[in-house]
Amino acid sequence: MGTRLVDIASVIRSKNAGPYELTFDIIFKSAEWFEKVKGLGVINKSFVSQLLCIPEDNVLAIIEFTPASAIKITIKRPIVSGDIGETDVYGAQQHAPLLNTEFEIL
Amino acid sequence: MKEVRVLSSTAILGYGFPEESFMAGLKRQPDIIAADAGSTDPGPYYLGSGVSFTDRHAVYRDLKFMLKAGRELGIPVIIGTAGGSGAEPHLRWTKDIVIEIARKEKLRFRLAVIHGEVKKEEVMNAYRSGRITELPPGMPLTEKDIEESTHIVGQMGIEPFIKALEGGAEVIIAGRAYDPAVFAAYPVWKGFDIGLALHMGKILECAAIAAVPGSGSDCMLGYLREDHFLLEPLNPERRCTVTSVAAHTLYEKSNPYILPGPGGCIDLTEAKFEQYNDNVVKVSGSRFALSAEYTVKLEGAKIEGYRTVSVAGARDPVFISKIDEIINGVRERVKNNFSEISVESYTLLFHLYGKNGVMGDLEPVKSITSHELGIIIETVACSQELANTICSFARSTMLHYGYPGRLSTAGNLAFLYSPSDFKAGEVYRFNIYHLIQVDDPCALFEKEILDIKEGHNGNQTC
């Protein structure tokens, strides 16, 4: 049985960071959970690439932000905000796959 | 103790605020009242078309409170990114509202209008002299991009605002501006630290979003001191906590430690967030790092075509199970029926809510698990007429499309409305999102000073 991300995070969200990027924030319920997940190094480029079915090169940054006990993932938008065929202008509903994520945390 | 108090009324002018919160803010004797009025989040349409994404009535309501309070307390009122995108039509729209309020409320003030639209010749000259760079993952700029854009705006920094304040402005409305600038300009002008002022502005620009519970339509007060600042929500139902404020620092940006803006970066690597009292957070250690060259972010949008959409639903399980082949069949029929129309002159899209309508290619769930589908048939074409033609034909074809195993031979779609098709008009796309290098931070942004007397202006231009 893994630990579900929804059980150890208080915020899981996505949003535009300008029209070309999507950014995902995972804010952990405590500094302890943040440190544990950070220590495991499980939120990495390969994880994001598999989760969202995108090439690793399109995962632009994964940054640990200690003051907020948060991990931030930024990806290149598959389609620029508002371009023809784009489906989430504000980028606010792209976080859902993270809600199903589980990790093995001892 | 040296202190400047900045009242942020709302996350976006027109998003509103409770009168009680605003009054609580005024009681704390702010030195300025400011609001950011815009964002690129609503997409390219608003910049491209010159229309505001906020409603006139709602903007009038917020501005009326702010302008009246500004005059009563004798403090400046500053608005940035007027009209949502801050190009010329947006600024004019906001200026008309300000003048109407002044007339109806019998207000007198010195108004500075700072223009954010950048002339194409100016951008072209900069491009040709190598003063424009792309912001990855965006593409390099081309001359065609400059020629084709309907509006180009530049995100002004604090300097044009400071100039306006030096000129005695009591109300400033500006075109496209770096969001924190409207909050930071006055404190920097008064000699406060620019790093702290900008970081405080970065949080205040979203007003009470940085509190818990967060809200984009409630007020927040910032107290800037010599080596720190405090953030206080003005609604007793909200608190600022270390987590809520630090979390907000992450919001809508790719790297929370380094926040680039006009002329440099806010550097938060040493920033400290502390609980000051039950609902107030103290922030210190934010610094500003000057960049070697002063750059301003440009934003532009161009027209891409014309859109028509048709809205429907499906509940038949056989139809739903065959949706992909049905769509392919409809596409073929459209192509075949209008063989004289080049397929390059239009885009035909089927958005399937219940399958991957929200996430598109990013959707990891590949199979449909829903008992019903929402279907948006969308066409973007080089003319509205062609968009109407293709959308209408795709809609009628899908309605009566015969597929193997079909039982419901009377029709495949449940239309939500009559008419079923909607002409959505011009479609725009962002085609400029680049940095322009300037020698003078104010050079791109022209300014007018008007003496408003009960809604009449003295037309004094600088």
Side-chain angles (χ1 to χ4, degrees), chain B residues 269-283:
Chain B
T269 42
E270 302 293 324
K272 243 174 87 183
F273 301 82
E274 297 162 87
Q275 199 68 44
Y276 185 77
N277 63 28
D278 187 49
N279 65 338
V280 175
V281 161
K282 175 183 172 185
V283 183

Side-chain angles (χ1 to χ4, degrees), chain B residues 128-180:
Chain B
R128 289 180 178 153
S129 58
R131 288 187 290 119
I132 299 219
T133 46
E134 68 265 26
L135 277 166
M139 301 294 283
L141 191 66
T142 64
E143 294 204 0
K144 201 161 164 263
D145 287 324
I146 302 168
E147 281 155 12
E148 286 178 343
S149 33
T150 52
H151 295 288
I152 305 175
V153 291
Q155 278 193 18
M156 67 184 82
I158 54 173
E159 296 82 356
F161 291 97
I162 292 176
K163 238 184 180 176
L165 290 165
E166 282 168 352
E170 294 164 307
V171 176
I172 304 174
I173 50 170
R176 186 63 171 130
Y178 177 50
D179 296 346

Side-chain angles (χ1 to χ4, degrees), chain A residues 13 15-23 25 27 51-54 60-61 63-68 70 72 74-76 78 80-90 93-94 96-97, chain B residues 15 40-44 135-138 242-243 246-257 273 304 347 349 351 353 357-364 366 380 427-430 433:
Chain A
R13 65 186 180 191
K15 192 77 198 281
N16 291 346
Y20 297 119
E21 294 176 2
L22 269 177
T23 191
D25 298 337
I27 305 177
L51 185 75
L52 298 169
C53 325
I54 55 169
L60 302 175
I63 293 174
E64 288 135 0
F65 189 56
T66 311
K72 186 179 232 331
T74 302
I75 68 163
K76 183 178 171 181
V80 175
S81 168
D83 265 11
I84 295 172
E86 198 271 313
T87 54
D88 186 358
V89 175
Y90 290 55
Q93 281 293 305
Q94 304 302 308
Chain B
Y15 278 16
T40 55
D41 263 350
L135 277 166
V242 168
T243 308
H248 183 70
T249 300
L250 294 167
Y251 190 60
E252 294 177 331
K253 46 200 76 82
S254 38
N255 182 342
Y257 287 109
F273 301 82
E304 188 78 340
T347 304
L349 298 166
H351 300 281
Y353 287 90
V358 173
M359 296 194 64
D361 288 344
L362 292 184
E363 178 57 67
K366 299 297 179 195
V380 178
V427 176
Y428 291 84
R429 70 180 298 248
F430 286 120
Y433 197 71

